Amino acid sequence: MKTNWYLHGLNCANCALKIEEELKQHPLVEEAAIDPVRFRLVVKSKEAQIASIIEEIVYRHESHVEVRREALERESFPVPKLLIVSLVLFAASFFFEGHFKTALAMGAYFFGGHRVIQAAARTFFTRDVFNENFLMTLATFGAIYLGEFAEAAAVMLFFEIGEYFQDLAVERSKKSISALMDLRCDRARVERNGEVIEVDPAEVSPGEILLVVPGERVPIDSVVWQGETTLDTSSMSGEAMPVYVEEGSDVLSGSINRTHAVKLKTVKTYQDSALARVLEMVENASLKKAPTERFITRFARYYTPAVVVAALLLVLIPVFFFAQAFEVWLYRALIFLVVSCPCALVVSIPLAFFAGIGTASAHGILIKGGSDLEMLASIETIAFDKTGTLTEGRFALQEILAEPGIDADDMLEMAAYAESLSSHPIAQSLVKAYGKVIDHTRLGSMREFSGSGVHAEVGGREVRVGKSGFVGADDNLPGIHVSVDAEYWGSFVVEDAIKKSAASTIDKLKKMGREILLLSGDASVHVEQVADALGIEKFYGGLLPDEKVRHIEEIARMKKVLFVGDGINDAPVLAASDVGVAMGGVGSDAALEAADIVLISDEIDKLPKAIEISHRTKRILFQNIIFAIGVKVLVMILGAAGIANMWLAVFADVGVALLAVLNSLRVFFDRSA
Ligand code: AMP
């Protein structure tokens, strides 16, 4: 059983990772993942008393943290008063000399550092002794021992000020990013026994009537039952244009009613609706960690002990082997302790992913996890499905080419009956063109062959509708073909328009240096037409779903490949590619499961945008890694050489962390991305 927990009061991402690590190793825990941005913990375990196990581990690391089942907003960020007292004492110490100066500096030290020192004391006897609080305390105790009172005070004070601003920046941006992704809808107004009552959306069954007034979000996928209004679907599709709906129109949950109160008839349960699925995906995105995040976790595990050992050697070697002065080398070693927390990276890297995923979702691009966001930038080949992806996927019957002696109306009737249970867009176009009510008693067995057609028994006759080869005619003829009792009856010309944004999207992707490929189950002649119109040189038609999978697997052996499909029959291909993108797939279970990225609207032009966001995120991650590690290494070198002091070291610690956090937020705040 998977359970969700929130760690309130935790503000140290490094500690969060340690907690996750320890939980993973617990024999009763099957899986544990922590979102280091929102401090949400997901634990899978069979054990009923998992709460006490989690609490015990969390308290051992961070005893002030509260483990809860629900999220609590942190409302305000008061500046700690003692920090101000400390700052004043510290400033005052510059105006005095002698013992009084020392007393003021020590006052500043204790007022500024009480939280750190207390936390260090708490963890002193635990396995996690190399935590940042303990190391800061150790470094400043060292400075005090050396008589560097002002430095000790400065290190504590700036460490705390840096942490405060860092928390503030993270918390504020977390709120604004979360607000964008927060589509929650806690209640539904439902009509029951002539009365309108408010209930939890999860308690509404399909077929019930909802009342949605202007300003409210539609909680469940529905159709308009009574009334008309305009909807803002932007949070679900990223499209700014309001959508007009009237009786009979489909309404996707998550849309906001803009103008008139309407009654809607639900077609799904809350759990199966687009909104609930999107929310679940967004919620879990930070748990699916990217390679860079995993690298940072591993790096963090070794970095601190390595720096502490280096600090120790920096004292021992010169003093014991070269008879150097202990005080000089102790001071240099303390500089190492001050820069020994990998916090800058541990905080800023997950934040950049969070910001990237948030920005994408604001554009109607749902990314399932950091790993998918990261992979997107490395994609070399993009394979498109044709129908519904590059074309509208809305077929219209243009012409009936019946064989001599066959009545065109009879042929359409046979085909419409055979197709009546299929959800394929071609099937629907034939049923629509037939236009009469289907008498299902005339329909015997029906079987759909994915990527080929249907085989059905209609009024006791064997009807096949689909590709030319599938109905027994020559392979690869254009159109949709029909045979009845193994006799060829003719074909339908069904057309599907190319999407308006397809050409410009292909163009943009080519300019981004991506190789473009078209894979389709449709007859090669149709595929070639579309490929020509869009300037795609490589295309393959007539592919069955497993052949598409084989194509993708073959490319994936050499190159990073992305597949974009509309989600119908595409699940295996989506899963086989490095990144699978489903379009408009919030409605389809299989696509949502198999895809790594879902473009909520049918707009293919979101794809270059998603790649741009990925590049931007990666660039920022890279800058942060180079900057944070670079500055720390530089300070250690300068420190060992006796050039840097502890002031510089504290900047290299918290200053760099703060700058890295602010840099990560650029992914989100620069909305041109
Ligand atoms: P798909 O992979 O679903 O795009 O299908 C590839 C091709 O198979 C289509 O272009 C049609 O020619 C044929 N096909 C698949 N399903 C059907 C169907 N239900 N009715 C008619 N033709 C179909």
Side-chain angles (χ1 to χ4, degrees):
M1 189 177 60
K2 264 191 181 166
T3 44
N4 269 315
W5 307 84
Y6 292 86
L7 308 182
H8 289 283
L10 186 63
N11 50 10
C12 154
N14 202 17
C15 319
L17 296 180
K18 288 181 189 167
I19 292 170
E20 179 189 78
E21 198 55 43
E22 202 166 319
L23 272 167
K24 275 186 185 160
Q25 280 164 10
H26 196 284
L28 296 177
V29 174
E30 287 168 39
E31 272 171 42
I34 207 161
D35 164 357
V37 177
R38 283 173 293 184
F39 299 121
R40 183 167 76 106
L41 173 69
V42 178
V43 178
K44 189 171 171 201
S45 134
K46 284 198 204 76
E47 204 57 30
Q49 64 276 41
I50 188 70
S52 57
I53 296 172
I54 296 173
E55 278 173 359
E56 196 258 323
I57 291 176
V58 170
Y59 292 159
R60 193 146 19 87
H61 284 270
E62 294 283 301
S63 58
H64 66 286
V65 169
E66 202 186 329
V67 179
R68 283 172 160 264
R69 293 306 306 266
E70 70 287 340
L72 266 190
E73 285 284 317
R74 198 162 154 193
E75 291 303 338
S76 62
F77 259 81
V79 181
K81 288 196 189 67
L82 291 182
L83 210 56
I84 299 174
V85 174
S86 167
L87 202 59
V88 171
L89 293 178
F90 183 67
S93 74
F94 285 92
F95 297 99
F96 296 93
E97 284 303 328
H99 289 313
F100 201 54
K101 184 184 178 79
T102 306
L104 286 172
M106 288 313 290
Y109 175 79
F110 283 109
F111 281 118
H114 69 98
R115 187 196 64 84
V116 178
I117 299 169
Q118 278 170 13
R122 271 200 308 266
T123 49
F124 189 65
F125 294 106
T126 64
R127 264 205 306 188
D128 178 33
V129 68
F130 285 143
N131 62 67
E132 56 177 329
N133 294 320
F134 178 76
L135 292 164
M136 276 296 161
T137 307
L138 193 63
T140 49
F141 277 11
I144 293 169
Y145 167 79
L146 292 174
E148 302 285 355
F149 303 108
E151 291 222 29
V155 167
M156 269 307 184
L157 192 54
F158 293 125
F159 176 66
E160 279 296 74
I161 291 175
E163 294 269 294
Y164 173 76
F165 281 112
Q166 189 182 310
D167 276 1
L168 193 70
V170 172
E171 202 64 32
R172 284 271 156 86
S173 49
K174 213 159 70 179
K175 264 195 196 150
S176 40
I177 300 171
S178 302
L180 255 185
M181 303 197 283
D182 187 9
L183 310 168
R184 251 174 306 168
C185 191
D186 302 329
R187 56 205 181 109
R189 269 183 242 262
V190 61
E191 211 176 75
R192 281 181 191 163
N193 308 323
E195 252 184 283
V196 176
I197 53 169
E198 280 190 13
V199 297
D200 184 337
E203 290 166 15
V204 178
S205 320
E208 289 203 88
I209 304 295
L210 297 179
L211 175 69
V212 182
V213 301
E216 277 184 347
R217 200 181 279 286
V218 177
I220 301 168
D221 292 350
S222 318
V223 290
V224 180
W225 179 249
Q226 236 174 52
E228 53 180 35
T229 186
T230 38
L231 298 174
D232 172 356
T233 60
S234 60
S235 51
M236 295 300 282
S237 66
E239 290 308 308
M241 280 291 287
V243 178
Y244 171 77
V245 291
E246 55 190 359
E247 269 169 40
S249 309
D250 288 331
V251 177
L252 200 62
S253 53
S255 316
I256 296 173
N257 186 0
R258 278 283 165 245
T259 50
H260 299 89
V262 277
K263 285 190 179 171
L264 307 176
K265 185 171 187 173
T266 59
V267 293
K268 289 193 179 155
T269 61
Y270 172 74
Q271 247 62 42
D272 286 338
S273 291
L275 178 64
R277 290 160 179 283
V278 167
L279 274 173
E280 196 183 307
M281 236 170 104
V282 169
E283 269 293 299
N284 291 330
S286 307
L287 296 172
K288 219 176 133 194
K289 290 184 183 138
T292 307
E293 280 180 278
R294 285 198 294 269
F295 160 75
I296 293 302
T297 314
R298 237 174 302 133
F299 174 81
R301 207 177 304 148
Y302 297 111
Y303 173 80
T304 308
V307 173
V308 172
V309 169
L312 206 61
L313 295 178
L314 200 64
V315 182
L316 296 181
I317 295 175
V319 173
F320 286 103
F321 295 102
F322 300 97
Q324 297 271 322
F326 171 69
E327 276 79 10
V328 171
W329 291 93
L330 176 64
Y331 183 83
R332 295 181 186 185
L334 297 181
I335 291 175
F336 276 46
L337 295 187
V338 175
V339 294
S340 66
C341 179
C343 308
L345 293 176
V346 175
V347 179
S348 73
I349 301 292
L351 192 63
F353 279 108
F354 184 62
I357 290 170
T359 309
S361 90
H363 281 106
I365 306 162
L366 298 182
I367 300 183
K368 276 204 187 160
S371 47
D372 306 311
L373 178 63
E374 188 165 356
M375 178 62 91
L376 206 48
S378 330
I379 289 299
E380 298 162 278
T381 301
I382 299 177
F384 285 94
D385 179 36
K386 181 179 73 80
T387 311
T389 304
L390 293 175
T391 66
E392 296 285 353
R394 280 193 291 273
F395 290 85
L397 176 62
Q398 307 287 332
E399 215 182 331
I400 302 178
L401 306 172
E403 288 291 287
I406 301 292
D407 182 66
D409 290 340
D410 286 351
M411 178 169 139
L412 181 59
E413 183 170 76
M414 281 296 184
Y417 267 83
E419 295 276 29
S420 60
L421 296 177
S422 164
S423 60
H424 199 284
I426 292 179
Q428 289 172 354
S429 75
L430 293 178
V431 174
K432 193 169 165 210
Y434 174 60
K436 295 183 202 152
V437 180
I438 302 276
D439 169 11
H440 283 285
T441 55
R442 284 184 58 198
L443 192 65
S445 63
M446 181 283 198
R447 194 170 158 206
E448 181 146 14
F449 294 82
S450 175
S452 296
V454 294
H455 182 179
E457 213 185 289
V458 182
R461 306 180 76 178
E462 295 278 322
V463 182
R464 278 177 169 259
V465 187
K467 285 185 187 170
S468 53
F470 176 73
V471 306
D474 285 346
D475 250 344
N476 252 331
L477 299 175
I480 301 301
H481 302 260
V482 185
S483 73
V484 178
D485 289 336
E487 182 195 355
Y488 183 67
W489 275 29
S491 69
F492 300 107
V493 179
V494 285
E495 281 202 351
D496 181 17
I498 293 177
K499 279 186 186 163
K500 279 195 217 77
S501 54
S504 61
T505 303
I506 299 286
D507 212 44
K508 261 192 215 157
L509 293 171
K510 278 183 172 171
K511 287 205 180 100
M512 291 170 117
R514 267 54 180 199
E515 183 190 26
I516 310 291
L517 212 68
L518 181 52
L519 299 181
S520 175
D522 202 355
S524 302
V525 268
H526 299 158
V527 181
E528 187 170 356
Q529 273 169 6
V530 173
D532 279 351
L534 296 175
I536 301 175
E537 285 103 34
K538 274 196 179 167
F539 55 89
Y540 302 89
L543 299 176
L544 292 171
D546 60 319
E547 290 172 326
K548 284 192 196 171
V549 172
R550 245 177 287 136
H551 259 279
I552 291 287
E553 281 173 349
E554 208 163 288
I555 305 169
R557 247 177 263 137
M558 334 256 268
K559 290 181 176 162
K560 295 266 175 287
V561 59
L562 176 148
F563 177 81
V564 201
D566 64 353
I568 301 173
N569 300 340
D570 283 340
V573 200
L574 288 171
S577 45
D578 293 298
V579 176
V581 180
M583 310 229 348
V586 264
S588 140
D589 283 2
L592 210 63
E593 275 293 310
D596 303 305
I597 295 178
V598 177
L599 305 180
I600 299 187
S601 67
D602 270 349
E603 289 313 313
I604 188 90
D605 56 359
K606 300 285 186 212
L607 190 61
K609 177 69 70 191
I611 296 178
E612 262 167 52
I613 294 171
S614 168
H615 274 294
R616 188 177 179 76
T617 310
K618 271 196 98 165
R619 219 167 26 242
I620 286 179
L621 292 174
F622 186 70
Q623 287 164 358
N624 280 356
I625 293 174
I626 297 294
F627 175 63
I629 299 182
V631 170
K632 290 203 174 191
V633 168
L634 188 69
V635 167
M636 284 192 263
I637 294 171
L638 294 178
I643 302 169
N645 58 21
M646 283 173 86
W647 289 73
L648 196 64
V650 77
F651 168 76
D653 189 58
V654 286
V656 167
L658 188 59
L659 290 176
V661 161
L662 295 177
N663 195 33
S664 289
L665 296 179
R666 286 200 306 131
V667 176
F668 177 68
F669 285 109
D670 189 341
R671 297 292 293 283
S672 62

